[in-house]
PDB file of all heavy atoms in Angstrom:
ATOM      1  N   TYR A 144      15.575  21.599  -8.699  1.00 98.00           N
ATOM      2  CA  TYR A 144      15.433  20.479  -9.631  1.00 98.00           C
ATOM      3  C   TYR A 144      15.649  19.178  -8.872  1.00 98.00           C
ATOM      4  O   TYR A 144      16.597  19.064  -8.079  1.00 98.00           O
ATOM      5  CB  TYR A 144      16.436  20.595 -10.780  1.00 98.00           C
ATOM      6  CG  TYR A 144      16.317  19.462 -11.777  1.00 98.00           C
ATOM      7  CD1 TYR A 144      15.284  19.424 -12.703  1.00 98.00           C
ATOM      8  CD2 TYR A 144      17.242  18.423 -11.777  1.00 98.00           C
ATOM      9  CE1 TYR A 144      15.165  18.378 -13.606  1.00 98.00           C
ATOM     10  CE2 TYR A 144      17.139  17.380 -12.679  1.00 98.00           C
ATOM     11  CZ  TYR A 144      16.094  17.359 -13.598  1.00 98.00           C
ATOM     12  OH  TYR A 144      15.985  16.318 -14.486  1.00 98.00           O
ATOM     13  N   LEU A 158      17.802   8.604  -5.787  1.00 95.00           N
ATOM     14  CA  LEU A 158      17.895  10.038  -6.017  1.00 95.00           C
ATOM     15  C   LEU A 158      19.095  10.308  -6.915  1.00 95.00           C
ATOM     16  O   LEU A 158      20.225   9.957  -6.586  1.00 95.00           O
ATOM     17  CB  LEU A 158      18.065  10.778  -4.687  1.00 95.00           C
ATOM     18  CG  LEU A 158      18.178  12.303  -4.767  1.00 95.00           C
ATOM     19  CD1 LEU A 158      16.881  12.905  -5.282  1.00 95.00           C
ATOM     20  CD2 LEU A 158      18.540  12.890  -3.406  1.00 95.00           C
ATOM     21  N   LYS A 159      18.862  10.945  -8.072  1.00 96.00           N
ATOM     22  CA  LYS A 159      19.936  11.164  -9.037  1.00 96.00           C
ATOM     23  C   LYS A 159      20.362  12.626  -9.120  1.00 96.00           C
ATOM     24  O   LYS A 159      21.513  12.924  -9.404  1.00 96.00           O
ATOM     25  CB  LYS A 159      19.503  10.662 -10.417  1.00 96.00           C
ATOM     26  CG  LYS A 159      19.125   9.175 -10.411  1.00 96.00           C
ATOM     27  CD  LYS A 159      18.683   8.704 -11.768  1.00 96.00           C
ATOM     28  CE  LYS A 159      19.838   8.464 -12.708  1.00 96.00           C
ATOM     29  NZ  LYS A 159      20.639   7.300 -12.344  1.00 96.00           N
ATOM     30  N   ARG A 160      19.427  13.548  -8.904  1.00 97.00           N
ATOM     31  CA  ARG A 160      19.754  14.975  -8.876  1.00 97.00           C
ATOM     32  C   ARG A 160      18.880  15.642  -7.820  1.00 97.00           C
ATOM     33  O   ARG A 160      17.697  15.314  -7.694  1.00 97.00           O
ATOM     34  CB  ARG A 160      19.487  15.660 -10.224  1.00 97.00           C
ATOM     35  CG  ARG A 160      20.171  15.045 -11.426  1.00 97.00           C
ATOM     36  CD  ARG A 160      21.638  15.354 -11.478  1.00 97.00           C
ATOM     37  NE  ARG A 160      22.200  14.842 -12.714  1.00 97.00           N
ATOM     38  CZ  ARG A 160      22.637  13.595 -12.891  1.00 97.00           C
ATOM     39  NH1 ARG A 160      22.574  12.733 -11.886  1.00 97.00           N
ATOM     40  NH2 ARG A 160      23.124  13.205 -14.048  1.00 97.00           N
ATOM     41  N   ALA A 161      19.444  16.609  -7.111  1.00 98.00           N
ATOM     42  CA  ALA A 161      18.670  17.389  -6.145  1.00 98.00           C
ATOM     43  C   ALA A 161      19.459  18.652  -5.839  1.00 98.00           C
ATOM     44  O   ALA A 161      20.467  18.603  -5.135  1.00 98.00           O
ATOM     45  CB  ALA A 161      18.421  16.588  -4.865  1.00 98.00           C
ATOM     46  N   TYR A 162      19.039  19.777  -6.388  1.00 98.00           N
ATOM     47  CA  TYR A 162      19.780  21.011  -6.130  1.00 98.00           C
ATOM     48  C   TYR A 162      18.882  22.242  -6.278  1.00 98.00           C
ATOM     49  O   TYR A 162      17.793  22.171  -6.859  1.00 98.00           O
ATOM     50  CB  TYR A 162      20.990  21.128  -7.062  1.00 98.00           C
ATOM     51  CG  TYR A 162      20.670  21.268  -8.536  1.00 98.00           C
ATOM     52  CD1 TYR A 162      20.483  22.522  -9.120  1.00 98.00           C
ATOM     53  CD2 TYR A 162      20.586  20.155  -9.361  1.00 98.00           C
ATOM     54  CE1 TYR A 162      20.218  22.660 -10.469  1.00 98.00           C
ATOM     55  CE2 TYR A 162      20.321  20.272 -10.705  1.00 98.00           C
ATOM     56  CZ  TYR A 162      20.131  21.528 -11.261  1.00 98.00           C
ATOM     57  OH  TYR A 162      19.854  21.656 -12.601  1.00 98.00           O
ATOM     58  N   ILE A 163      19.339  23.338  -5.707  1.00 98.00           N
ATOM     59  CA  ILE A 163      18.647  24.621  -5.807  1.00 98.00           C
ATOM     60  C   ILE A 163      19.602  25.652  -6.387  1.00 98.00           C
ATOM     61  O   ILE A 163      20.827  25.533  -6.251  1.00 98.00           O
ATOM     62  CB  ILE A 163      18.110  25.087  -4.441  1.00 98.00           C
ATOM     63  CG1 ILE A 163      19.255  25.223  -3.416  1.00 98.00           C
ATOM     64  CG2 ILE A 163      17.045  24.131  -3.930  1.00 98.00           C
ATOM     65  CD1 ILE A 163      18.806  25.794  -2.091  1.00 98.00           C
ATOM     66  N   SER A 164      19.043  26.678  -7.024  1.00 97.00           N
ATOM     67  CA  SER A 164      19.846  27.739  -7.629  1.00 97.00           C
ATOM     68  C   SER A 164      19.204  29.093  -7.360  1.00 97.00           C
ATOM     69  O   SER A 164      17.969  29.215  -7.342  1.00 97.00           O
ATOM     70  CB  SER A 164      19.975  27.528  -9.149  1.00 97.00           C
ATOM     71  OG  SER A 164      20.588  26.295  -9.445  1.00 97.00           O
ATOM     72  N   PHE A 168      24.144  31.109  -8.007  1.00 98.00           N
ATOM     73  CA  PHE A 168      24.668  30.156  -7.020  1.00 98.00           C
ATOM     74  C   PHE A 168      23.827  28.878  -7.060  1.00 98.00           C
ATOM     75  O   PHE A 168      22.602  28.937  -7.166  1.00 98.00           O
ATOM     76  CB  PHE A 168      24.635  30.751  -5.612  1.00 98.00           C
ATOM     77  CG  PHE A 168      25.602  31.881  -5.410  1.00 98.00           C
ATOM     78  CD1 PHE A 168      25.188  33.198  -5.556  1.00 98.00           C
ATOM     79  CD2 PHE A 168      26.923  31.636  -5.068  1.00 98.00           C
ATOM     80  CE1 PHE A 168      26.074  34.247  -5.363  1.00 98.00           C
ATOM     81  CE2 PHE A 168      27.818  32.670  -4.871  1.00 98.00           C
ATOM     82  CZ  PHE A 168      27.396  33.984  -5.018  1.00 98.00           C
ATOM     83  N   SER A 169      24.495  27.731  -6.960  1.00 98.00           N
ATOM     84  CA  SER A 169      23.802  26.445  -6.928  1.00 98.00           C
ATOM     85  C   SER A 169      24.409  25.578  -5.833  1.00 98.00           C
ATOM     86  O   SER A 169      25.601  25.674  -5.540  1.00 98.00           O
ATOM     87  CB  SER A 169      23.919  25.713  -8.274  1.00 98.00           C
ATOM     88  OG  SER A 169      23.308  26.456  -9.307  1.00 98.00           O
ATOM     89  N   ALA A 170      23.580  24.725  -5.250  1.00 98.00           N
ATOM     90  CA  ALA A 170      24.063  23.817  -4.213  1.00 98.00           C
ATOM     91  C   ALA A 170      23.224  22.554  -4.233  1.00 98.00           C
ATOM     92  O   ALA A 170      22.002  22.606  -4.396  1.00 98.00           O
ATOM     93  CB  ALA A 170      23.980  24.482  -2.831  1.00 98.00           C
ATOM     94  N   GLY A 171      23.899  21.403  -4.076  1.00 98.00           N
ATOM     95  CA  GLY A 171      23.189  20.136  -4.022  1.00 98.00           C
ATOM     96  C   GLY A 171      23.908  19.052  -4.783  1.00 98.00           C
ATOM     97  O   GLY A 171      25.135  19.094  -4.956  1.00 98.00           O
ATOM     98  N   GLU A 172      23.155  18.071  -5.247  1.00 97.00           N
ATOM     99  CA  GLU A 172      23.696  16.944  -6.021  1.00 97.00           C
ATOM    100  C   GLU A 172      23.405  17.183  -7.492  1.00 97.00           C
ATOM    101  O   GLU A 172      22.252  17.260  -7.907  1.00 97.00           O
ATOM    102  CB  GLU A 172      23.054  15.632  -5.562  1.00 97.00           C
ATOM    103  CG  GLU A 172      23.553  14.414  -6.320  1.00 97.00           C
ATOM    104  CD  GLU A 172      22.860  13.133  -5.918  1.00 97.00           C
ATOM    105  OE1 GLU A 172      21.873  13.202  -5.137  1.00 97.00           O
ATOM    106  OE2 GLU A 172      23.284  12.055  -6.381  1.00 97.00           O
ATOM    107  N   MET A 173      24.475  17.286  -8.280  1.00 96.00           N
ATOM    108  CA  MET A 173      24.321  17.565  -9.708  1.00 96.00           C
ATOM    109  C   MET A 173      25.537  17.068 -10.464  1.00 96.00           C
ATOM    110  O   MET A 173      26.490  16.568  -9.882  1.00 96.00           O
ATOM    111  CB  MET A 173      24.116  19.062  -9.931  1.00 96.00           C
ATOM    112  CG  MET A 173      25.301  19.928  -9.519  1.00 96.00           C
ATOM    113  SD  MET A 173      24.925  21.697  -9.507  1.00 96.00           S
ATOM    114  CE  MET A 173      24.253  21.858  -7.854  1.00 96.00           C
ATOM    115  N   GLN A 174      25.493  17.220 -11.789  1.00 96.00           N
ATOM    116  CA  GLN A 174      26.666  16.870 -12.577  1.00 96.00           C
ATOM    117  C   GLN A 174      27.823  17.797 -12.230  1.00 96.00           C
ATOM    118  O   GLN A 174      27.631  18.985 -11.928  1.00 96.00           O
ATOM    119  CB  GLN A 174      26.362  16.995 -14.072  1.00 96.00           C
ATOM    120  CG  GLN A 174      25.669  15.796 -14.672  1.00 96.00           C
ATOM    121  CD  GLN A 174      26.607  14.619 -14.877  1.00 96.00           C
ATOM    122  OE1 GLN A 174      27.805  14.778 -15.073  1.00 96.00           O
ATOM    123  NE2 GLN A 174      26.064  13.427 -14.820  1.00 96.00           N
ATOM    124  N   THR A 175      29.054  17.247 -12.245  1.00 97.00           N
ATOM    125  CA  THR A 175      30.215  18.063 -11.944  1.00 97.00           C
ATOM    126  C   THR A 175      30.267  19.304 -12.819  1.00 97.00           C
ATOM    127  O   THR A 175      29.906  19.263 -14.007  1.00 97.00           O
ATOM    128  CB  THR A 175      31.507  17.254 -12.135  1.00 97.00           C
ATOM    129  OG1 THR A 175      32.637  18.137 -12.016  1.00 97.00           O
ATOM    130  CG2 THR A 175      31.561  16.600 -13.514  1.00 97.00           C
ATOM    131  N   MET A 176      30.735  20.395 -12.235  1.00 97.00           N
ATOM    132  CA  MET A 176      30.883  21.620 -12.996  1.00 97.00           C
ATOM    133  C   MET A 176      31.896  21.472 -14.125  1.00 97.00           C
ATOM    134  O   MET A 176      31.856  22.197 -15.118  1.00 97.00           O
ATOM    135  CB  MET A 176      31.300  22.770 -12.079  1.00 97.00           C
ATOM    136  CG  MET A 176      31.586  24.060 -12.810  1.00 97.00           C
ATOM    137  SD  MET A 176      31.942  25.412 -11.712  1.00 97.00           S
ATOM    138  CE  MET A 176      30.282  25.802 -11.212  1.00 97.00           C
ATOM    139  N   THR A 200      28.462  12.560 -11.073  1.00 95.00           N
ATOM    140  CA  THR A 200      27.574  13.275 -10.168  1.00 95.00           C
ATOM    141  C   THR A 200      28.323  13.600  -8.884  1.00 95.00           C
ATOM    142  O   THR A 200      29.012  12.746  -8.326  1.00 95.00           O
ATOM    143  CB  THR A 200      26.339  12.429  -9.841  1.00 95.00           C
ATOM    144  OG1 THR A 200      25.672  12.091 -11.056  1.00 95.00           O
ATOM    145  CG2 THR A 200      25.381  13.200  -8.945  1.00 95.00           C
ATOM    146  N   THR A 201      28.206  14.839  -8.429  1.00 96.00           N
ATOM    147  CA  THR A 201      28.914  15.258  -7.218  1.00 96.00           C
ATOM    148  C   THR A 201      27.988  16.085  -6.332  1.00 96.00           C
ATOM    149  O   THR A 201      26.974  16.625  -6.784  1.00 96.00           O
ATOM    150  CB  THR A 201      30.147  16.120  -7.551  1.00 96.00           C
ATOM    151  OG1 THR A 201      29.716  17.360  -8.150  1.00 96.00           O
ATOM    152  CG2 THR A 201      31.076  15.408  -8.508  1.00 96.00           C
ATOM    153  N   TYR A 202      28.364  16.179  -5.058  1.00 97.00           N
ATOM    154  CA  TYR A 202      27.760  17.161  -4.156  1.00 97.00           C
ATOM    155  C   TYR A 202      28.605  18.415  -4.252  1.00 97.00           C
ATOM    156  O   TYR A 202      29.836  18.364  -4.086  1.00 97.00           O
ATOM    157  CB  TYR A 202      27.746  16.638  -2.722  1.00 97.00           C
ATOM    158  CG  TYR A 202      26.984  15.348  -2.543  1.00 97.00           C
ATOM    159  CD1 TYR A 202      27.467  14.351  -1.708  1.00 97.00           C
ATOM    160  CD2 TYR A 202      25.781  15.124  -3.202  1.00 97.00           C
ATOM    161  CE1 TYR A 202      26.764  13.161  -1.533  1.00 97.00           C
ATOM    162  CE2 TYR A 202      25.077  13.947  -3.043  1.00 97.00           C
ATOM    163  CZ  TYR A 202      25.570  12.964  -2.204  1.00 97.00           C
ATOM    164  OH  TYR A 202      24.881  11.794  -2.042  1.00 97.00           O
ATOM    165  N   GLN A 203      27.974  19.547  -4.511  1.00 97.00           N
ATOM    166  CA  GLN A 203      28.765  20.741  -4.787  1.00 97.00           C
ATOM    167  C   GLN A 203      28.054  22.026  -4.380  1.00 97.00           C
ATOM    168  O   GLN A 203      26.839  22.068  -4.198  1.00 97.00           O
ATOM    169  CB  GLN A 203      29.120  20.814  -6.269  1.00 97.00           C
ATOM    170  CG  GLN A 203      27.923  21.041  -7.184  1.00 97.00           C
ATOM    171  CD  GLN A 203      28.311  21.284  -8.622  1.00 97.00           C
ATOM    172  OE1 GLN A 203      28.373  22.432  -9.073  1.00 97.00           O
ATOM    173  NE2 GLN A 203      28.574  20.203  -9.358  1.00 97.00           N
ATOM    174  N   VAL A 204      28.862  23.070  -4.275  1.00 98.00           N
ATOM    175  CA  VAL A 204      28.408  24.456  -4.185  1.00 98.00           C
ATOM    176  C   VAL A 204      29.140  25.197  -5.290  1.00 98.00           C
ATOM    177  O   VAL A 204      30.367  25.068  -5.424  1.00 98.00           O
ATOM    178  CB  VAL A 204      28.736  25.086  -2.820  1.00 98.00           C
ATOM    179  CG1 VAL A 204      28.331  26.551  -2.799  1.00 98.00           C
ATOM    180  CG2 VAL A 204      28.041  24.323  -1.697  1.00 98.00           C
ATOM    181  N   SER A 205      28.426  25.947  -6.102  1.00 98.00           N
ATOM    182  CA  SER A 205      29.063  26.568  -7.253  1.00 98.00           C
ATOM    183  C   SER A 205      28.430  27.915  -7.579  1.00 98.00           C
ATOM    184  O   SER A 205      27.341  28.242  -7.100  1.00 98.00           O
ATOM    185  CB  SER A 205      28.969  25.646  -8.476  1.00 98.00           C
ATOM    186  OG  SER A 205      27.608  25.369  -8.785  1.00 98.00           O
ATOM    187  N   LEU A 220      33.017  24.230  -5.593  1.00 98.00           N
ATOM    188  CA  LEU A 220      33.654  23.355  -4.613  1.00 98.00           C
ATOM    189  C   LEU A 220      32.884  22.043  -4.626  1.00 98.00           C
ATOM    190  O   LEU A 220      31.665  22.041  -4.460  1.00 98.00           O
ATOM    191  CB  LEU A 220      33.612  23.974  -3.208  1.00 98.00           C
ATOM    192  CG  LEU A 220      34.275  25.337  -3.017  1.00 98.00           C
ATOM    193  CD1 LEU A 220      34.041  25.832  -1.595  1.00 98.00           C
ATOM    194  CD2 LEU A 220      35.767  25.263  -3.308  1.00 98.00           C
ATOM    195  N   GLU A 221      33.588  20.918  -4.829  1.00 98.00           N
ATOM    196  CA  GLU A 221      32.929  19.631  -4.951  1.00 98.00           C
ATOM    197  C   GLU A 221      33.544  18.614  -4.003  1.00 98.00           C
ATOM    198  O   GLU A 221      34.761  18.615  -3.759  1.00 98.00           O
ATOM    199  CB  GLU A 221      33.034  19.116  -6.388  1.00 98.00           C
ATOM    200  CG  GLU A 221      32.374  20.023  -7.408  1.00 98.00           C
ATOM    201  CD  GLU A 221      32.423  19.473  -8.815  1.00 98.00           C
ATOM    202  OE1 GLU A 221      33.084  18.430  -9.050  1.00 98.00           O
ATOM    203  OE2 GLU A 221      31.780  20.073  -9.703  1.00 98.00           O
ATOM    204  N   MET A 222      32.699  17.734  -3.466  1.00 96.00           N
ATOM    205  CA  MET A 222      33.198  16.652  -2.620  1.00 96.00           C
ATOM    206  C   MET A 222      33.948  15.656  -3.503  1.00 96.00           C
ATOM    207  O   MET A 222      33.398  15.157  -4.482  1.00 96.00           O
ATOM    208  CB  MET A 222      32.054  15.967  -1.887  1.00 96.00           C
ATOM    209  CG  MET A 222      31.433  16.815  -0.801  1.00 96.00           C
ATOM    210  SD  MET A 222      30.204  15.907   0.184  1.00 96.00           S
ATOM    211  CE  MET A 222      31.248  14.697   0.997  1.00 96.00           C
TER     212      MET A 222
END
Side-chain angles (χ1 to χ4, degrees):
Y144 181 76
L158 180 65
K159 302 179 78 70
R160 305 285 185 274
Y162 65 89
I163 59 175
S164 300
F168 291 95
S169 298
E172 180 183 7
M173 64 191 86
Q174 277 285 332
T175 172
M176 175 175 282
T200 303
T201 66
Y202 301 140
Q203 67 173 261
V204 176
S205 59
L220 301 176
E221 299 183 353
M222 289 187 66

